[in-house]
Amino acid sequence: DMKNNDQRSSLIWLAIGVSILLYSGKYGLGKMSSPGPGFVPFLSGLVITGLALVVFLQQFGNRGRESLQGLWRLKDWPITLKVMGALILYTTFLKTLGFLLITFLLVLYLFRAIEPLSWKKVFAGALFTAFGAYLVFDLWLQAQLPNGIFGF
């Protein structure tokens, strides 16, 4: 039955996620200011473990089967395609337009196209998100972000 298959597969993913968590620690997580080689695998293991737990626990509720089947409903595909298209454009123009501008434009589009909000909220949210991401990645983590043709 579908419920048991989802439970079994989520337990397999749970085991994979926990294994990644355990083994990534052996490579060293480092510090937030200088992450070690095991940091990204550790985060990946956390995500896999968390998602596996969510799927497993959903199977005990009445809505477990419906929520998993709802992922594949036809009505959700236009939104999925919009997001995928926006992400493809984001990666295509990231170096040309720069991190700050292209991130602002991506979030602006997503806030307006996916869940239409007022332009005031859309603009404020996109501005806050782009500058917040810039502060975290460029200033705090000192990641090398593309400046683009406008120099920012």
Side-chain angles (χ1 to χ4, degrees):
D1 129 282
M2 175 73 154
K3 198 176 239 189
N4 287 333
N5 288 337
D6 287 336
Q7 286 174 338
R8 285 187 202 112
S9 65
S10 65
L11 287 175
I12 291 168
W13 282 109
L14 183 66
I16 291 169
V18 169
S19 298
I20 292 171
L21 286 172
L22 294 173
Y23 285 107
S24 64
K26 293 181 180 184
Y27 291 102
L29 300 179
K31 300 176 186 172
M32 287 302 281
S33 59
S34 64
F39 185 71
V40 172
F42 181 80
L43 289 179
S44 300
L46 275 178
V47 170
I48 291 170
T49 301
L51 291 174
L53 282 172
V54 167
V55 171
F56 183 77
L57 294 175
Q58 278 183 340
Q59 299 311 307
F60 291 108
N62 290 333
R63 60 187 183 98
R65 179 180 289 181
E66 292 82 20
S67 66
L68 288 176
Q69 289 174 345
L71 290 173
W72 302 107
R73 280 194 206 126
L74 186 59
K75 70 176 187 167
D76 294 336
W77 281 104
I79 292 173
T80 303
L81 293 174
K82 284 180 184 180
V83 171
M84 288 173 57
L87 290 173
I88 289 169
L89 289 173
Y90 179 85
T91 57
T92 302
F93 293 106
L94 180 62
K95 288 182 181 176
T96 306
L97 295 178
F99 176 81
L100 197 56
L101 179 59
I102 196 71
T103 302
F104 172 77
L105 293 173
L106 172 72
V107 176
L108 189 79
Y109 171 76
L110 292 176
F111 280 169
R112 189 67 184 169
I114 305 306
E115 191 68 38
L117 301 170
S118 71
W119 278 107
K120 186 177 180 180
K121 288 180 182 177
V122 167
F123 188 79
L127 202 60
F128 177 78
T129 302
F131 276 106
Y134 176 79
L135 289 174
V136 169
F137 291 111
D138 191 62
L139 300 179
W140 184 40
L141 296 175
Q142 297 178 348
Q144 297 292 320
L145 300 176
N147 288 327
I149 58 174
F150 301 111
F152 57 87

Coordinates of all heavy atoms in Angstrom, one line a residue, residues 55-124:
V55 N 8.1 13.4 5.8 CA 7.3 12.5 5.1 C 6.9 11.3 5.9 O 5.7 10.9 5.9 CB 8.1 12.0 3.8 CG1 7.4 10.8 3.2 CG2 8.4 13.1 2.9
F56 N 7.8 10.8 6.8 CA 7.4 9.7 7.6 C 6.3 10.0 8.6 O 5.3 9.3 8.7 CB 8.7 9.2 8.4 CG 8.4 8.0 9.3 CD1 8.4 6.8 8.7 CD2 8.2 8.2 10.7 CE1 8.1 5.7 9.5 CE2 8.0 7.1 11.5 CZ 7.9 5.8 10.9
L57 N 6.4 11.2 9.2 CA 5.4 11.6 10.2 C 4.0 12.0 9.5 O 3.0 11.7 10.1 CB 5.9 12.8 11.1 CG 7.1 12.4 12.0 CD1 7.6 13.7 12.7 CD2 6.7 11.3 13.0
Q58 N 4.1 12.4 8.3 CA 2.8 12.7 7.6 C 2.0 11.5 7.4 O 0.8 11.6 7.3 CB 3.1 13.4 6.3 CG 3.4 14.9 6.3 CD 3.6 15.5 5.0 OE1 3.9 14.8 4.0 NE2 3.4 16.8 4.9
Q59 N 2.6 10.4 7.3 CA 1.9 9.1 7.0 C 1.0 8.7 8.1 O 0.1 7.9 8.0 CB 2.9 8.0 6.6 CG 3.7 8.3 5.4 CD 2.9 8.8 4.2 OE1 1.9 8.2 3.8 NE2 3.2 10.0 3.7
F60 N 1.2 9.3 9.3 CA 0.4 8.9 10.5 C -0.9 9.7 10.6 O -1.8 9.4 11.3 CB 1.2 9.0 11.8 CG 2.3 7.9 11.8 CD1 3.6 8.3 11.7 CD2 2.0 6.6 12.0 CE1 4.6 7.3 11.7 CE2 2.9 5.6 12.1 CZ 4.3 6.0 11.9
G61 N -0.9 10.9 9.8 CA -2.1 11.7 9.8 C -3.0 11.3 8.7 O -2.6 10.5 7.8
N62 N -4.2 11.8 8.7 CA -5.2 11.4 7.7 C -4.8 12.1 6.3 O -5.2 11.6 5.3 CB -6.6 11.9 8.1 CG -7.1 11.1 9.2 OD1 -6.7 9.9 9.3 ND2 -8.0 11.7 10.0
R63 N -4.0 13.2 6.4 CA -3.7 13.9 5.2 C -2.4 13.5 4.5 O -2.0 14.1 3.5 CB -3.8 15.4 5.4 CG -2.7 15.8 6.5 CD -2.9 17.3 6.8 NE -1.9 17.7 7.7 CZ -0.8 18.3 7.4 NH1 -0.6 18.6 6.2 NH2 0.1 18.6 8.3
G64 N -1.8 12.5 5.0 CA -0.4 12.1 4.5 C -0.5 11.8 3.1 O 0.3 12.3 2.3
R65 N -1.4 10.9 2.7 CA -1.4 10.4 1.3 C -1.8 11.6 0.4 O -1.3 11.8 -0.7 CB -2.4 9.3 1.2 CG -2.5 8.8 -0.2 CD -3.5 7.6 -0.4 NE -2.9 6.4 0.3 CZ -3.5 5.3 0.3 NH1 -4.7 5.1 -0.2 NH2 -2.9 4.3 0.9
E66 N -2.8 12.3 0.8 CA -3.3 13.4 -0.1 C -2.3 14.5 -0.3 O -2.1 15.0 -1.3 CB -4.6 14.0 0.5 CG -5.8 13.1 0.5 CD -5.8 12.1 1.7 OE1 -5.1 12.4 2.7 OE2 -6.5 11.1 1.6
S67 N -1.5 14.8 0.8 CA -0.5 15.8 0.6 C 0.6 15.4 -0.3 O 1.2 16.2 -1.0 CB 0.1 16.3 2.0 OG 0.8 15.2 2.6
L68 N 1.0 14.2 -0.3 CA 2.1 13.7 -1.2 C 1.6 13.6 -2.6 O 2.3 14.0 -3.5 CB 2.6 12.3 -0.7 CG 3.5 12.4 0.5 CD1 3.9 11.0 0.9 CD2 4.7 13.2 0.3
Q69 N 0.3 13.2 -2.8 CA -0.2 13.1 -4.1 C -0.5 14.5 -4.7 O -0.4 14.7 -5.9 CB -1.5 12.3 -4.1 CG -1.3 10.8 -3.9 CD -2.6 10.0 -3.8 OE1 -3.6 10.6 -3.6 NE2 -2.5 8.7 -3.9
G70 N -0.7 15.5 -3.8 CA -1.0 16.8 -4.2 C 0.2 17.5 -4.8 O 0.1 18.5 -5.5
L71 N 1.4 17.0 -4.5 CA 2.6 17.5 -5.2 C 2.6 17.4 -6.7 O 3.2 18.2 -7.4 CB 3.9 16.8 -4.6 CG 4.2 17.0 -3.2 CD1 5.4 16.1 -2.8 CD2 4.6 18.5 -3.0
W72 N 1.8 16.4 -7.2 CA 1.8 16.2 -8.6 C 0.5 16.6 -9.3 O 0.3 16.3 -10.5 CB 2.0 14.7 -8.9 CG 3.3 14.2 -8.2 CD1 3.5 13.5 -7.1 CD2 4.6 14.6 -8.7 NE1 4.8 13.4 -6.8 CE2 5.5 14.0 -7.8 CE3 5.1 15.3 -9.7 CZ2 6.9 14.1 -7.9 CZ3 6.5 15.4 -9.9 CH2 7.4 14.8 -9.0
R73 N -0.3 17.4 -8.6 CA -1.5 17.9 -9.3 C -1.2 18.8 -10.4 O -0.2 19.6 -10.4 CB -2.4 18.6 -8.3 CG -3.2 17.7 -7.4 CD -4.2 18.5 -6.7 NE -4.5 17.8 -5.5 CZ -4.5 18.3 -4.3 NH1 -4.2 19.5 -4.1 NH2 -4.8 17.5 -3.2
L74 N -1.9 18.8 -11.5 CA -1.7 19.6 -12.7 C -1.7 21.1 -12.4 O -1.0 21.8 -13.0 CB -2.7 19.2 -13.8 CG -2.5 19.8 -15.1 CD1 -1.1 19.4 -15.7 CD2 -3.6 19.4 -16.1
K75 N -2.6 21.5 -11.5 CA -2.7 22.9 -11.2 C -1.4 23.6 -10.7 O -1.2 24.8 -10.8 CB -3.9 23.2 -10.3 CG -3.7 22.8 -8.9 CD -4.8 23.2 -8.0 CE -4.5 22.9 -6.6 NZ -5.4 23.5 -5.7
D76 N -0.5 22.8 -10.1 CA 0.7 23.4 -9.5 C 1.8 23.5 -10.5 O 2.8 24.2 -10.2 CB 1.2 22.5 -8.3 CG 0.2 22.5 -7.2 OD1 -0.6 23.4 -7.0 OD2 0.2 21.5 -6.4
W77 N 1.7 22.9 -11.7 CA 2.8 22.9 -12.6 C 3.1 24.3 -13.2 O 4.2 24.6 -13.4 CB 2.5 21.9 -13.7 CG 2.9 20.5 -13.2 CD1 2.1 19.5 -12.8 CD2 4.2 20.0 -13.0 NE1 2.8 18.4 -12.4 CE2 4.1 18.7 -12.5 CE3 5.5 20.5 -13.2 CZ2 5.2 17.9 -12.1 CZ3 6.6 19.7 -12.9 CH2 6.4 18.5 -12.4
P78 N 2.1 25.1 -13.5 CA 2.4 26.4 -14.1 C 3.3 27.2 -13.1 O 4.2 27.9 -13.5 CB 1.1 27.1 -14.3 CG 0.1 26.0 -14.5 CD 0.6 24.9 -13.6
I79 N 3.0 27.2 -11.8 CA 3.8 27.9 -10.8 C 5.2 27.3 -10.8 O 6.2 28.0 -10.8 CB 3.2 27.8 -9.4 CG1 1.9 28.7 -9.5 CG2 4.1 28.3 -8.4 CD1 1.1 28.6 -8.2
T80 N 5.3 26.0 -10.8 CA 6.6 25.3 -10.8 C 7.5 25.7 -12.0 O 8.7 26.0 -11.9 CB 6.5 23.8 -10.8 OG1 5.7 23.4 -9.7 CG2 7.8 23.1 -10.8
L81 N 6.8 25.8 -13.2 CA 7.5 26.2 -14.4 C 8.0 27.6 -14.4 O 9.1 28.0 -14.8 CB 6.7 25.9 -15.6 CG 6.4 24.4 -15.9 CD1 5.4 24.2 -17.1 CD2 7.7 23.7 -16.2
K82 N 7.1 28.5 -13.8 CA 7.5 29.9 -13.6 C 8.8 30.0 -12.7 O 9.7 30.8 -13.0 CB 6.4 30.7 -13.0 CG 5.3 31.0 -13.9 CD 4.2 31.8 -13.1 CE 3.0 32.1 -13.9 NZ 2.0 32.9 -13.2
V83 N 8.8 29.3 -11.6 CA 9.9 29.4 -10.7 C 11.2 28.8 -11.4 O 12.3 29.4 -11.3 CB 9.6 28.6 -9.4 CG1 10.9 28.5 -8.5 CG2 8.5 29.3 -8.6
M84 N 11.0 27.7 -12.1 CA 12.2 27.1 -12.8 C 12.7 28.0 -13.8 O 13.9 28.2 -14.0 CB 11.8 25.7 -13.4 CG 11.7 24.7 -12.3 SD 11.0 23.1 -13.0 CE 12.2 22.7 -14.2
G85 N 11.9 28.7 -14.6 CA 12.3 29.6 -15.6 C 13.0 30.8 -15.0 O 14.0 31.3 -15.5
A86 N 12.4 31.3 -13.9 CA 13.1 32.5 -13.2 C 14.5 32.1 -12.7 O 15.4 32.9 -12.8 CB 12.2 32.9 -12.1
L87 N 14.6 30.9 -12.2 CA 15.9 30.4 -11.7 C 16.9 30.2 -12.8 O 18.1 30.5 -12.7 CB 15.8 29.2 -10.8 CG 15.1 29.4 -9.5 CD1 14.8 28.0 -8.8 CD2 15.9 30.3 -8.6
I88 N 16.5 29.8 -14.0 CA 17.3 29.6 -15.1 C 17.8 31.0 -15.6 O 19.0 31.2 -15.8 CB 16.6 28.9 -16.2 CG1 16.5 27.4 -15.9 CG2 17.4 29.0 -17.6 CD1 15.6 26.6 -16.8
L89 N 16.9 32.0 -15.6 CA 17.3 33.3 -16.0 C 18.2 33.9 -15.0 O 19.2 34.6 -15.3 CB 16.1 34.2 -16.2 CG 15.2 33.9 -17.4 CD1 13.9 34.7 -17.4 CD2 16.0 34.2 -18.7
Y90 N 18.0 33.6 -13.7 CA 18.8 34.1 -12.6 C 20.3 33.7 -12.8 O 21.2 34.5 -12.8 CB 18.3 33.7 -11.3 CG 19.1 34.1 -10.1 CD1 18.9 35.3 -9.5 CD2 20.0 33.3 -9.5 CE1 19.6 35.7 -8.4 CE2 20.8 33.6 -8.4 CZ 20.5 34.9 -7.8 OH 21.3 35.3 -6.8
T91 N 20.4 32.4 -13.0 CA 21.8 31.8 -13.2 C 22.4 32.3 -14.5 O 23.6 32.5 -14.6 CB 21.8 30.3 -13.1 OG1 20.9 29.8 -14.1 CG2 21.4 29.8 -11.8
T92 N 21.6 32.5 -15.5 CA 22.2 33.0 -16.8 C 22.7 34.4 -16.7 O 23.8 34.7 -17.3 CB 21.0 32.9 -17.9 OG1 20.6 31.6 -18.0 CG2 21.6 33.4 -19.2
F93 N 22.0 35.3 -16.0 CA 22.4 36.7 -15.9 C 23.1 37.1 -14.6 O 23.4 38.3 -14.4 CB 21.2 37.6 -16.2 CG 20.6 37.5 -17.5 CD1 19.5 36.8 -17.8 CD2 21.3 38.0 -18.6 CE1 18.9 36.6 -19.1 CE2 20.8 37.9 -19.9 CZ 19.6 37.2 -20.1
L94 N 23.4 36.1 -13.8 CA 24.1 36.5 -12.5 C 25.4 37.2 -12.7 O 25.6 38.2 -12.1 CB 24.3 35.2 -11.7 CG 25.0 35.3 -10.3 CD1 24.1 36.2 -9.4 CD2 25.2 34.0 -9.7
K95 N 26.3 36.7 -13.5 CA 27.6 37.4 -13.7 C 27.4 38.7 -14.5 O 28.2 39.6 -14.2 CB 28.5 36.5 -14.5 CG 29.0 35.3 -13.7 CD 30.0 34.4 -14.5 CE 30.4 33.3 -13.6 NZ 31.3 32.3 -14.4
T96 N 26.5 38.8 -15.4 CA 26.3 40.0 -16.2 C 25.7 41.1 -15.3 O 26.3 42.3 -15.3 CB 25.4 39.7 -17.4 OG1 25.9 38.6 -18.1 CG2 25.3 41.0 -18.3
L97 N 24.7 40.9 -14.6 CA 24.0 41.9 -13.9 C 24.5 42.0 -12.5 O 24.2 43.1 -11.8 CB 22.5 41.7 -13.9 CG 21.8 41.7 -15.3 CD1 20.3 41.4 -15.1 CD2 22.0 43.1 -15.9
G98 N 25.1 41.0 -11.9 CA 25.6 41.1 -10.6 C 24.6 40.5 -9.6 O 23.4 40.5 -9.8
F99 N 25.2 40.1 -8.4 CA 24.4 39.4 -7.4 C 23.2 40.3 -6.9 O 22.1 39.8 -6.8 CB 25.3 38.9 -6.3 CG 24.5 38.3 -5.1 CD1 24.1 37.0 -5.2 CD2 24.2 39.0 -4.0 CE1 23.4 36.4 -4.2 CE2 23.5 38.4 -3.0 CZ 23.1 37.1 -3.1
L100 N 23.6 41.5 -6.5 CA 22.6 42.4 -5.9 C 21.4 42.7 -6.8 O 20.2 42.5 -6.4 CB 23.3 43.6 -5.4 CG 22.6 44.5 -4.4 CD1 22.3 43.7 -3.1 CD2 23.4 45.7 -4.0
L101 N 21.7 43.1 -8.0 CA 20.6 43.4 -8.9 C 19.8 42.2 -9.4 O 18.5 42.3 -9.4 CB 21.2 44.1 -10.2 CG 20.2 44.6 -11.2 CD1 19.1 45.5 -10.6 CD2 20.9 45.2 -12.4
I102 N 20.4 41.1 -9.7 CA 19.7 40.0 -10.2 C 18.9 39.3 -9.1 O 17.8 38.8 -9.3 CB 20.6 39.0 -11.0 CG1 19.8 38.0 -11.8 CG2 21.5 38.2 -10.0 CD1 19.1 38.6 -13.0
T103 N 19.4 39.3 -7.9 CA 18.7 38.8 -6.7 C 17.4 39.7 -6.5 O 16.3 39.1 -6.2 CB 19.6 38.7 -5.5 OG1 20.7 37.9 -5.8 CG2 18.8 38.1 -4.3
F104 N 17.6 41.0 -6.5 CA 16.5 41.9 -6.4 C 15.4 41.6 -7.4 O 14.2 41.5 -7.1 CB 16.9 43.3 -6.5 CG 15.8 44.3 -6.5 CD1 15.1 44.7 -5.3 CD2 15.4 44.9 -7.7 CE1 14.1 45.6 -5.4 CE2 14.4 45.8 -7.7 CZ 13.7 46.2 -6.6
L105 N 15.8 41.5 -8.7 CA 14.8 41.2 -9.8 C 14.1 39.8 -9.6 O 12.9 39.7 -9.9 CB 15.5 41.3 -11.1 CG 16.0 42.7 -11.5 CD1 16.9 42.6 -12.8 CD2 14.9 43.7 -11.7
L106 N 14.9 38.8 -9.2 CA 14.3 37.5 -9.0 C 13.3 37.5 -7.9 O 12.1 37.0 -8.1 CB 15.4 36.5 -8.6 CG 14.9 35.1 -8.2 CD1 14.3 34.3 -9.4 CD2 16.0 34.3 -7.5
V107 N 13.6 38.1 -6.8 CA 12.6 38.1 -5.7 C 11.4 39.0 -6.0 O 10.3 38.7 -5.7 CB 13.3 38.6 -4.4 CG1 12.3 38.7 -3.2 CG2 14.4 37.6 -4.0
L108 N 11.7 40.1 -6.7 CA 10.6 41.0 -7.2 C 9.6 40.2 -8.0 O 8.4 40.2 -7.8 CB 11.2 42.1 -8.0 CG 10.3 43.3 -8.4 CD1 10.0 44.2 -7.2 CD2 10.9 44.1 -9.5
Y109 N 10.2 39.4 -9.0 CA 9.3 38.6 -9.9 C 8.6 37.5 -9.1 O 7.4 37.3 -9.2 CB 10.2 37.9 -11.0 CG 9.4 36.9 -11.7 CD1 8.4 37.3 -12.7 CD2 9.6 35.5 -11.5 CE1 7.7 36.4 -13.4 CE2 8.8 34.6 -12.2 CZ 7.9 35.0 -13.2 OH 7.2 34.1 -13.8
L110 N 9.3 36.8 -8.2 CA 8.7 35.7 -7.5 C 7.5 36.2 -6.5 O 6.5 35.6 -6.4 CB 9.7 34.9 -6.7 CG 10.7 34.1 -7.5 CD1 11.7 33.5 -6.6 CD2 10.0 33.1 -8.3
F111 N 7.8 37.3 -5.9 CA 6.8 37.9 -5.0 C 5.5 38.3 -5.8 O 4.4 38.3 -5.3 CB 7.3 39.1 -4.2 CG 8.1 38.7 -3.0 CD1 8.8 39.7 -2.3 CD2 8.2 37.4 -2.5 CE1 9.6 39.3 -1.2 CE2 9.0 37.1 -1.4 CZ 9.7 38.0 -0.8
R112 N 5.7 38.8 -7.0 CA 4.6 39.3 -7.8 C 3.9 38.2 -8.6 O 2.7 38.1 -8.6 CB 5.1 40.4 -8.7 CG 4.0 41.1 -9.4 CD 3.2 41.9 -8.4 NE 2.0 42.5 -9.2 CZ 1.0 43.1 -8.6 NH1 1.0 43.3 -7.3 NH2 0.1 43.6 -9.4
A113 N 4.7 37.3 -9.1 CA 4.1 36.3 -10.0 C 3.5 35.1 -9.3 O 2.5 34.5 -9.7 CB 5.2 35.8 -11.0
I114 N 4.2 34.7 -8.2 CA 3.7 33.4 -7.6 C 2.6 33.7 -6.6 O 1.6 33.0 -6.7 CB 4.9 32.8 -6.8 CG1 6.1 32.6 -7.7 CG2 4.5 31.5 -6.1 CD1 5.8 31.8 -9.0
E115 N 2.7 34.7 -5.8 CA 1.7 35.0 -4.8 C 1.5 36.5 -4.9 O 2.1 37.2 -4.2 CB 2.1 34.6 -3.4 CG 1.0 34.6 -2.4 CD -0.1 33.6 -2.6 OE1 0.2 32.5 -3.0 OE2 -1.3 33.9 -2.4
P116 N 0.6 37.0 -5.8 CA 0.5 38.4 -6.1 C 0.3 39.2 -4.8 O -0.7 39.0 -4.1 CB -0.6 38.5 -7.0 CG -0.7 37.2 -7.7 CD -0.3 36.2 -6.6
L117 N 1.2 40.1 -4.5 CA 1.1 41.1 -3.4 C 1.1 42.5 -4.0 O 1.3 42.7 -5.2 CB 2.4 40.9 -2.5 CG 2.6 39.5 -1.9 CD1 4.0 39.4 -1.2 CD2 1.5 39.2 -0.9
S118 N 0.9 43.4 -3.1 CA 0.9 44.8 -3.6 C 2.3 45.2 -4.0 O 3.3 44.6 -3.5 CB 0.4 45.7 -2.4 OG 1.4 45.8 -1.4
W119 N 2.4 46.2 -4.9 CA 3.8 46.6 -5.4 C 4.6 47.1 -4.2 O 5.8 46.9 -4.2 CB 3.6 47.6 -6.5 CG 3.4 47.0 -7.8 CD1 2.2 47.0 -8.5 CD2 4.3 46.2 -8.5 NE1 2.3 46.2 -9.6 CE2 3.6 45.7 -9.7 CE3 5.6 45.8 -8.4 CZ2 4.2 45.0 -10.7 CZ3 6.2 45.0 -9.3 CH2 5.5 44.6 -10.5
K120 N 4.0 47.7 -3.2 CA 4.7 48.3 -2.1 C 5.4 47.1 -1.3 O 6.6 47.2 -1.0 CB 3.8 49.1 -1.2 CG 4.5 49.8 -0.1 CD 3.4 50.6 0.7 CE 4.1 51.3 1.9 NZ 3.1 52.1 2.7
K121 N 4.6 46.1 -1.1 CA 5.2 44.9 -0.3 C 6.2 44.2 -1.2 O 7.2 43.7 -0.7 CB 4.0 43.9 0.1 CG 3.2 44.5 1.2 CD 2.1 43.5 1.5 CE 1.2 44.0 2.6 NZ 0.0 43.1 2.9
V122 N 5.9 44.0 -2.5 CA 6.8 43.4 -3.4 C 8.2 44.1 -3.4 O 9.3 43.5 -3.3 CB 6.2 43.2 -4.8 CG1 7.2 42.8 -5.8 CG2 5.1 42.3 -4.8
F123 N 8.1 45.4 -3.6 CA 9.4 46.2 -3.7 C 10.2 46.1 -2.4 O 11.4 45.9 -2.4 CB 9.0 47.6 -4.1 CG 10.3 48.4 -4.4 CD1 10.9 48.3 -5.6 CD2 10.8 49.3 -3.5 CE1 12.0 49.1 -5.9 CE2 11.9 50.1 -3.7 CZ 12.5 49.9 -5.0
A124 N 9.5 46.3 -1.3 CA 10.1 46.3 0.0 C 10.7 44.9 0.3 O 11.8 44.8 0.8 CB 9.1 46.7 1.1

